Amino acid sequence: MMSKATPIPITILTGFLGAGKTTVLNRLLTAQHGLKIAVLVNDFGAINIDAQLVVGVEANEIVNLANGCICCTIREDLLSTTLELLERPDRPDYIIVEASGVSDPVSVALTFRLPALRSLISLAAIVAVVDAERIQEQRQQIVQVGDQIAAADIIVVNKIDLIDPAQQQRVINWIQAIVPRARILTAEYGVVPIDLLLGIGQYQIDLLADRHEFAHQHDQDWQTWHYQTANPFSMSSLQHAFQQLPNSIFRAKGIVYLAEAPERQAIVQLAGKRASLQLGEPWGATPPHSKIVVIGRSQSFDSAQLTAQFDACLAQPTHELREEILTVAEWRRKYQNQ
Ligand SMILES: [Zn+2]
C-alpha cells in the first residue's frame, strides 16, 4: 500500500516590510482551490502578529516561526518544522512560506535543497510582492528589496492604483531589467489570479545553483520593539502616534483594544507613511488586550521614547469611572474623619 510520497510543492512568498505579503496570502487561503495548505509564517520580532493577521481557514494550518529570521538565525526551525509537516499522516497538499520582510529568499530556498528535504519538496515558485508606490524610494535605501526581486520568478506589483501609468511603466521596466524572465503581475489590495501562484510547476530561474554560501546573519541590522497592555487605547491618540512615528521605522502593526470599540479587535498598521485602522473580529472569550510591533533600522529609534509615546495614548478613565473613584475617596474621607 505504501507508495513513494510525491514531493510537495512549496511557494516562498517574499517582499519587503509593508509590501502586502499577508494580504496576498489571505487571498490565496480564502480562494476556492480545494487544496490543504500549510503556511509557515516568519514574522520578525518577539510577538508574531502576522500569523494572527492570516485568516484562519479550517482546512489550512498556520505555523509560526518567530524569534529570528528563517534565512539565517532560525534556519534549523524551518527545516525541522517542514519535516514535521511532511511526516504527518494528513500531509498538506501545498506549503507556503511567508518569509520575513528582511530575509533573503535564496537562502530560504536553499534550505529546501538540503539533503534532508531535497526529495520531499519541490520549489514551485518564489513570489515577490512589491509596494508599487514605495519601491522607487526603497530600492535606493535597502539592499534586500533588489535581492528579493532578483530571486523571484513571479513579481506581484501591489498597490498599483496608487501610482499613475507613467510611474507604473517605470517600475515595471526597472523590475524587468533585474529579472527579465520573471512573470510580472500588477495588483490592487493583493488581488492576483490564484492559478498563477499555486500549482504552477517548477521554479525556473537558475539562481540556486550559483549560491552555496548563506547570507550573514542580518538580524542585527534591524531593530524591533514591542508594546503590550491590557488597558484600552484612545483611537485618535493611537492613530496620531502611528502617523508620528519616525521615518526610520519601516513597519508597525498591532492588534489593539480600543476604548471606542471595546468589543472588537482593532488592527492597526503602518506601511511607509500610511497608517490604517480597521475593526476585526470580536474579542469573544479572549480578554481584550493590545500588542504592537515596530520594525526599523538598527539603532534608529529610541525604545524608551516609543514606550512613553504609546503610554500617552492609553484612554483616560471615563467620566463615570472618575466619579466613581471620587465617590470612593469621599466615602473614605468621610469614614476616616468620623
Ligand atoms: Zn535572515
Side-chain angles (χ1 to χ4, degrees), residues 170 285 321:
R170 272 200 296 278
L321 208 61

Side-chain angles (χ1 to χ4, degrees), residues 231-232 257 259 315-329:
N231 297 319
Y257 170 29
Q316 298 303 311
T318 62
H319 200 58
E320 290 122 70
L321 208 61
R322 256 189 234 131
E323 276 174 0
E324 246 169 64
I325 292 166
L326 212 65
T327 317
V328 172

Side-chain angles (χ1 to χ4, degrees), residues 42-46 65-74 77 100 219:
N42 178 216
D43 200 2
F44 196 85
L65 295 164
N67 299 320
C69 173
I70 49 168
C71 87
C72 46
T73 43
I74 59 162
D77 290 9
S100 79
D219 287 19

